[in-house]
Amino acid sequence: MSDHYVKVKVQLEQMKSFGEDAEKEGVDAEEQLAVSSPPASVSPDPSSLTTTGRDASNTSITGKQRGKGRSKVGKDDKNSCGKHVPDLSLHGSVISPHVGRNLNRPGHERTLHIKGTGKILQGKSENNGNCVTIHSSKNIQEARHEDGFKLARKRRPVTVDTAKAKTSLEALKLSIKQLKWKEFPLGRRAACDIYWHGVSFHDNENIVSGQVNKFPGMIEMLRKINMSRAVRTMQELFPEEYDFYPRSWILPEEYQQFSTQIRMVKENDATLNPTFIVKPDGGSQGDGIYLIRDPSDLKLMPGSQAKQAVVQEYIHKPLLIDKLKFDIRLYVLIKSMEPLEIYIAKEGLTRFCTEPYQEPSQKNLSHVFMHLTNYSLNVHSGNFVHSDSQSTGSKRTLSSVLYRLAAKGVDIKKVWSDIIALVIKTVIAVVPELKVYYQADIPPGKPGPTCFQILGFDILLMKNLKPVLLEVNSNPSMRIEHEQEVAPGVFEYVPSPVDEEVKVSVIRDTLRLMDPGNKKPSISHPRGGGFEHGEEIPMEAETQERSQDEALPSLCLKQVYPKYTKQFNYLRLVERIAVLFIRFLGVKGNMRLGPTAFRTFIRTCKLSNSNFTMASVDILYIDITRRWSGAVADSREAGMGLQAFVEAFFHLAGRRFKSLAMREQVASLLELCEAQLESQSGVEDRRSVSCSRALPRANKTQTLGLTNPQLNSPAPLRRAASQDYRLHQRLKPRTLRANVEN
Ligand code: ADP
């Protein structure tokens, strides 16, 4: 027996005895953030066994129990699994570090069971794979291999930090339970696989790995004004494709245009008396919304105090069911932004008004229960019907409504394909700005989590069945209970089966899709034809269908992008402009382009000439930036934001390609810029290769920095880079010669 073999065996014996001690004492191995620092002997590697070894969930443990568990955790870390598995892997075991994480868990699960749930001894013998079975009674190599294989097959449960889940907590807990994953309700010292935030990306700061269920900037991007601007930009390029969003004006800045246009409409046709809906910018749940028929009815505060809002054409002929207006809440998962992956939940909710609908008239404009479908408003109407059935009441499933429409002969396949198209186009409209936010928070090269997000699309069906986008919610409610008045004036939260059915499935299946252990490629092959009526519709809810995992139903989320890339990719023009913008931003974390960076963009892409001098470039920059700094509410950061850059880009495209239609102008300018950048990065690469051959090592490093076009270097670095570029220029002849000589 070699020395090493003896050492391993002794350690394994210690491990076993600790495992038994721990079991006797009922150690709680849970490590939540509320727990104080671990002992110094804990492995410094957060991803190593010592941390994951504390995986266990028992949310009801007391502080005292936790404290007790903590000391044992330290011991555990020191004596057992955390030390052994690296040893084993060093000596040729099949147990990978990943599997090693599994190895730590069973002991903990065992002890937790002892404490809490009464399922004490279940699985005891099979749960101790790493610590107990690898011991003296077996040939150690053999045991190692056997256990390694066993454990490799048994996957480590995915860990979810739910400490910031807020109102989605209940649905999230149920989802995690169904998946048999591991919840950390108080957070966790070690990294989790998934962080579930109730509000924003920043709910937990300093996450450097794993996945967060929010994108940075999504809240800002989906505020009513930003959203309207993003869609409007797309409407300029693709008016027909983006006709699903009601005509909107941004207040107060577009008040004049709004009132002039309405006056002209009325002058042209006196019988027309359109209605408008005014929505405060940061509002939600119907707060502060009102209808008007004349611009003079706007409740505008004068001067800089003027309230930011969107005023929008009111859709006065909605589709009615039971004489009631309703809207659709559709859940959409952005699984990834790069590459773009979009999933749509096949099941959604429909929210009904509680007063029969009449077309707007001066008399009924203030009837919120007639015009606004918000649950939060209608729940306070005496007519609100709470129902446990999915097809009756004031909140119903989408499939039940589609079923009802199908029964009346409506072509619901067409409705569903139109809804899918609306969703994809809307996401395409918001992604450009999101990319700017993303690189500011998680700059390339900086460690950070990846992101995904469930969005709530509010969609209205018009009488002619055309879907209209009302808004997109970055934090759709995931509550699975509703408020009920149990006695006059006394409200209580009671479970809502309809909400639970829909929302738990959406969260659970989102988690399934985000499972870090799921190595299946999620990108399906883009589909060519057949979009129009080829998509499965929600009423065909596959409740009977089972997924590969027999315990779970098939996914309720269906991929629509990249599945339909071919049909929608041509719309992604603004995103390409955003990529250019980001490239010239320069300083990491920046979201605005300074005048020098704008000039660099013009020069690099060779957009100036004798008719468009650099002086005109500066004037264009100042003009557009000044206008936008007044228009954008939060313009603390100086410079040109993406929306202003897009405007400048459209302007440049118009100058350059006068004879073309706007869309072609923009596409042509993009191609020109991209080609310039490509050829220059090619030149840079070639230069850097030739220089790197000729230059001493120190210079070589600088050269690499310079030629990486994606490098968003801070200003001093950028200056260094430009000096380096001049150095290139000077060295060019020599380096060329050097190449020849070589
Ligand atoms: P909030 O974020 O406050 O809920 P929404 O934009 O969703 O604001 O509007 C609230 C409600 O007003 C919607 O649920 C819908 O019933 C109604 N609504 C909104 N926009 C329109 C519109 N353009 N036409 C008709 N009804 C609308």
Side-chain angles (χ1 to χ4, degrees):
M1 208 184 277
S2 74
D3 281 349
H4 171 73
Y5 191 96
V6 173
K7 210 168 119 198
V8 168
K9 200 175 162 190
V10 170
Q11 283 172 339
L12 288 166
E13 287 298 338
Q14 283 173 350
M15 218 159 80
K16 186 202 163 200
S17 67
F18 171 70
E20 285 164 357
D21 286 347
E23 193 177 335
K24 270 182 233 146
E25 292 177 28
V27 172
D28 181 1
E30 176 76 298
E31 185 206 31
Q32 304 286 356
L33 271 186
V35 176
S36 67
S37 304
S41 57
V42 171
S43 160
D45 175 7
S47 64
S48 76
L49 299 162
T50 50
T51 53
T52 45
R54 297 177 204 115
D55 294 359
S57 66
N58 183 347
T59 59
S60 59
I61 48 172
T62 64
K64 197 173 156 213
Q65 285 166 325
R66 234 183 274 128
K68 189 179 167 196
R70 196 160 62 238
S71 63
K72 277 298 181 186
V73 169
K75 195 174 167 193
D76 184 10
D77 288 327
K78 201 156 100 182
N79 291 335
S80 69
C81 321
K83 286 250 173 186
H84 284 279
V85 176
D87 264 5
L88 291 175
S89 57
L90 265 177
H91 293 277
S93 162
V94 291
I95 304 170
S96 69
H98 186 74
V99 173
R101 292 180 196 180
N102 287 332
L103 293 177
N104 241 8
R105 187 166 307 97
H108 295 299
E109 279 179 350
R110 185 176 55 211
T111 53
L112 274 174
H113 287 162
I114 288 166
K115 274 181 64 178
T117 63
K119 296 174 190 166
I120 299 175
L121 297 173
Q122 278 178 12
K124 180 180 165 192
S125 57
E126 63 192 52
N127 263 352
N128 56 3
N130 70 331
C131 295
V132 180
T133 55
I134 310 173
H135 79 85
S136 54
S137 65
K138 276 195 174 190
N139 173 298
I140 198 157
Q141 291 289 350
E142 209 180 280
R144 237 187 270 148
H145 278 269
E146 255 181 39
D147 291 335
F149 282 127
K150 245 188 250 167
L151 290 159
R153 259 183 273 124
K154 210 177 177 192
R155 267 185 46 204
R156 169 181 85 84
V158 180
T159 52
V160 186
D161 180 332
T162 61
K164 305 283 171 157
K166 298 219 160 96
T167 53
S168 46
L169 188 61
E170 287 310 307
L172 181 61
K173 273 181 185 295
L174 288 174
S175 306
I176 294 172
K177 203 169 161 200
Q178 288 182 18
L179 294 170
K180 301 191 178 80
W181 287 8
K182 203 161 278 290
E183 183 199 353
F184 285 83
L186 300 177
R188 188 188 187 204
R189 187 172 306 282
C192 272
D193 296 311
I194 293 176
Y195 296 82
W196 199 274
H197 291 181
V199 181
S200 103
F201 174 77
H202 295 285
D203 287 356
N204 274 301
E205 290 294 351
N206 304 324
I207 300 173
V208 290
S209 64
Q211 308 181 81
V212 178
N213 73 320
K214 302 280 183 226
F215 281 96
M218 190 67 93
I219 296 180
E220 292 83 350
M221 196 49 230
L222 296 182
R223 283 170 74 105
K224 293 178 170 66
I225 289 183
N226 263 341
M227 172 78 194
S228 298
R229 282 212 172 100
V231 176
R232 189 189 294 176
T233 302
M234 296 306 286
Q235 285 174 331
E236 278 182 60
L237 291 170
F238 306 100
E240 279 158 28
E241 287 87 339
Y242 281 84
D243 67 351
F244 57 82
Y245 191 68
R247 192 143 178 223
S248 306
W249 295 262
I250 289 153
L251 299 177
E253 61 180 275
E254 292 171 359
Y255 174 76
Q256 277 313 326
Q257 287 109 296
F258 172 59
S259 39
T260 312
Q261 285 172 15
I262 303 316
R263 203 181 51 240
M264 279 163 58
V265 167
K266 288 183 178 178
E267 278 168 10
N268 281 348
D269 185 347
T271 62
L272 281 180
N273 196 5
T275 305
F276 302 91
I277 182 163
V278 189
K279 312 179 187 181
D281 185 36
S284 65
Q285 305 189 328
D287 274 355
I289 292 188
Y290 59 98
L291 304 187
I292 56 167
R293 305 201 94 184
D294 193 89
S296 61
D297 296 332
L298 276 170
K299 298 173 194 163
L300 279 181
M301 282 185 273
S304 58
Q305 292 294 301
K307 244 187 168 177
Q308 297 259 322
V310 167
V311 57
Q312 195 171 73
E313 182 188 349
Y314 185 75
I315 307 299
H316 64 287
K317 285 189 189 299
L319 181 73
L320 306 180
I321 289 184
D322 300 334
K323 301 197 175 117
L324 299 169
K325 175 175 170 178
F326 67 95
D327 77 348
I328 297 169
R329 160 58 56 86
L330 196 71
Y331 298 96
V332 172
L333 167 68
I334 313 275
K335 183 170 180 272
S336 133
M337 199 158 55
E338 193 75 69
L340 186 59
E341 287 184 61
I342 311 169
Y343 286 73
I344 297 186
K346 294 204 317 173
E347 186 60 288
L349 293 169
T350 50
R351 288 94 46 103
F352 282 70
C353 277
T354 42
E355 185 180 329
Y357 185 77
Q358 287 167 12
E359 285 199 22
S361 68
Q362 205 57 47
K363 265 205 308 205
N364 68 29
L365 280 191
S366 61
H367 291 211
V368 285
F369 299 147
M370 174 188 287
H371 293 293
L372 307 186
T373 49
N374 298 81
Y375 162 79
S376 49
L377 295 174
N378 284 281
V379 75
H380 297 294
S381 146
N383 294 337
F384 193 93
V385 181
H386 288 288
S387 168
D388 288 355
S389 149
Q390 300 189 346
S391 53
T392 58
S394 299
K395 200 187 257 188
R396 309 179 194 175
T397 57
L398 172 61
S399 58
S400 76
V401 164
L402 290 179
Y403 186 82
R404 181 117 173 233
L405 295 177
K408 286 186 181 164
V410 168
D411 180 359
I412 55 166
K413 282 196 170 187
K414 165 90 171 79
V415 172
W416 186 237
S417 338
D418 288 348
I419 288 177
I420 292 174
L422 175 153
V423 167
I424 297 174
K425 289 173 189 172
T426 306
V427 174
I428 286 176
V430 298
V431 156
E433 189 121 23
L434 275 179
K435 284 198 159 170
V436 178
Y437 278 102
Y438 196 89
Q439 62 79 39
D441 265 301
I442 314 172
K446 190 186 142 191
T450 54
C451 305
F452 62 96
Q453 188 154 357
I454 299 171
L455 303 174
F457 275 64
D458 290 350
I459 295 167
L460 190 73
L461 287 181
M462 288 173 38
K463 201 173 179 181
N464 64 5
L465 298 165
K466 185 178 164 55
V468 170
L469 177 69
L470 299 178
E471 72 156 347
V472 186
N473 290 274
S474 56
N475 289 313
S477 163
M478 286 293 169
R479 273 190 184 282
I480 52 173
E481 66 282 315
H482 60 71
E483 238 177 62
Q484 199 162 34
E485 198 168 11
V486 283
V490 182
F491 289 89
E492 208 177 77
Y493 278 110
V494 295
S496 165
V498 177
D499 286 284
E500 183 173 328
E501 168 80 22
V502 174
K503 294 174 184 174
V504 172
S505 306
V506 170
I507 294 184
R508 182 199 61 221
D509 289 354
T510 295
L511 290 174
R512 283 164 80 187
L513 283 168
M514 303 317 301
D515 180 349
N518 188 358
K519 294 280 177 275
K520 268 184 277 166
S522 59
I523 298 177
S524 66
H525 293 295
R527 270 230 309 237
F531 170 73
E532 284 302 320
H533 296 279
E535 188 53 48
E536 283 171 89
I537 46 173
M539 67 167 289
E540 296 171 350
E542 297 159 33
T543 41
Q544 303 312 316
E545 208 181 296
R546 293 272 140 195
S547 69
Q548 283 175 331
D549 180 346
E550 268 305 302
L552 296 168
S554 69
L555 284 175
C556 73
L557 292 158
K558 290 281 167 186
Q559 193 199 73
V560 293
Y561 204 91
K563 187 175 181 184
Y564 296 120
T565 299
K566 281 190 185 148
Q567 288 84 347
F568 297 98
N569 216 30
Y570 73 100
L571 299 172
R572 297 176 72 179
L573 282 188
V574 182
E575 196 179 325
R576 284 165 62 196
I577 301 178
V579 171
L580 281 181
F581 175 79
I582 291 168
R583 187 175 175 136
F584 286 95
L585 272 180
V587 181
K588 276 184 185 176
N590 217 358
M591 291 184 61
R592 287 174 187 247
L593 214 59
T596 315
F598 188 67
R599 279 174 143 248
T600 310
F601 153 68
I602 298 284
R603 272 212 195 93
T604 316
C605 296
K606 297 198 177 7
L607 300 181
S608 63
N609 53 38
S610 54
N611 286 329
F612 186 56
T613 60
M614 287 315 277
S616 326
V617 170
D618 289 341
I619 292 169
L620 177 71
Y621 176 87
I622 292 166
D623 178 39
I624 292 185
T625 308
R626 199 173 281 160
R627 253 182 314 108
W628 276 90
S629 67
V632 179
D634 180 11
S635 49
R636 279 165 296 179
E637 210 184 308
M640 181 182 257
L642 176 68
Q643 288 166 349
F645 182 75
V646 169
E647 186 186 321
F649 197 89
F650 284 7
H651 174 86
L652 295 167
R655 282 185 73 106
R656 187 97 184 197
F657 302 99
K658 285 193 183 74
S659 58
L660 299 179
M662 183 170 178
R663 188 188 311 183
E664 277 77 47
Q665 288 175 349
V666 172
S668 306
L669 189 64
L670 265 170
E671 270 158 35
L672 194 145
C673 294
E674 287 163 353
Q676 284 297 344
L677 288 170
E678 204 171 304
S679 71
Q680 284 178 29
S681 61
V683 168
E684 291 296 321
D685 285 348
R686 281 197 298 282
R687 273 184 199 147
S688 99
V689 168
S690 56
C691 282
S692 62
R693 281 184 200 147
L695 290 171
R697 202 177 168 76
N699 285 346
K700 200 165 154 182
T701 320
Q702 285 177 352
T703 309
L704 285 172
L706 169 72
T707 52
N708 181 354
Q710 300 293 359
L711 205 84
N712 290 329
S713 53
L717 278 182
R718 242 186 13 241
R719 269 197 301 279
S722 70
Q723 281 162 9
D724 207 42
Y725 181 74
R726 284 195 288 277
L727 184 67
H728 269 297
Q729 299 293 332
R730 270 188 270 121
L731 286 172
K732 214 168 131 193
R734 229 182 56 204
T735 54
L736 277 178
R737 229 180 296 129
N739 280 345
V740 173
E741 279 166 10
N742 281 343

